[in-house]
Amino acid sequence: MNDSPVSPIGVFDSGVGGLSVLRVIRAQMPGLPVLYYADQGHVPYGPRPMEEIQQFSEGITRFLLGKDCRLIVVACNTASAAALHHLRATFSEVPFVGMEPAVKPAAETTRSGVVGVLATPATFQGRLYASVVERFARDVTVLQDTCPGLVQQIERGDLSGPETRRILENALLPMLEKGVDTVVMGCTHYPFVIPLIEEITGPDVRVIDPAPAIARQTARLLGDRSFDGNSQQVYYTSGGIGEFERVRERLGLESGQVKQSIWRAGMALDGPG
Ligand code: DGL
């Protein structure tokens, strides 16, 4: 048995969305130390230019590597679309796990031949998305919606109020009219509103959350070692610690140490305190 301290992995997102991935990683490997970075000073990423999202992603990766992370999970479809390629080229010795909309399993299992994808504008604009649709969804109809404002609602912890419902109905009702039977969560914030999505779509629509596949891939890259036991969760936010805490609790994520990060000259740094 190896008693040497286990070095952490880093997981990041524009905000609390990546917590939908973190909770599955933590459930599967509770003894694996994880540093989670929520870039709430810049959320949302979705409407921003690709170049800017790439700079944020690189800054956060440098920050996490500076804390000895040995693997980085880009728990954000938008950052993956804008920066995964660049990150892998820039930090060639570091293993990365990135997100891509789960169009493949949707296309494989749809019976109606109509699938819906909910993701941010930047994700839909990226080459990664075009390539998964091109490779896996030639024979199905893919409907898309950017759910404007939904990321902000979830950042506020509003998972079921009237505005959140309105945004989701606007996205889903037209899809249902066109016969959609599978809906892909193409943004890591959205799994937090799956109960509301299922209320709107009814039980016959399958909702795909890619988090379990991402956790499996993470375990594979770590060598499938057992990470039983317990490690305290550490969170960083570039927004307010108080707000992060409120939302974390509302989303039902485990408590932990919450630390401040600040941005200076394009670099993510430790904050005061
Ligand atoms: N959670 C993110 C994603 O998976 C980004 C949302 C945003 O900041 O716009 O795409």
Side-chain angles (χ1 to χ4, degrees), residues 103-111 115 136 140 206:
V103 170
K104 184 174 184 228
E108 281 167 358
T109 55
T110 176
R111 277 161 298 144
V115 307
F136 306 121
V140 302
R206 179 175 176 227

Side-chain angles (χ1 to χ4, degrees), residues 21 58 125 188 260:
V21 177
E58 183 176 332
Q125 280 155 29
T188 53
Q260 186 72 57

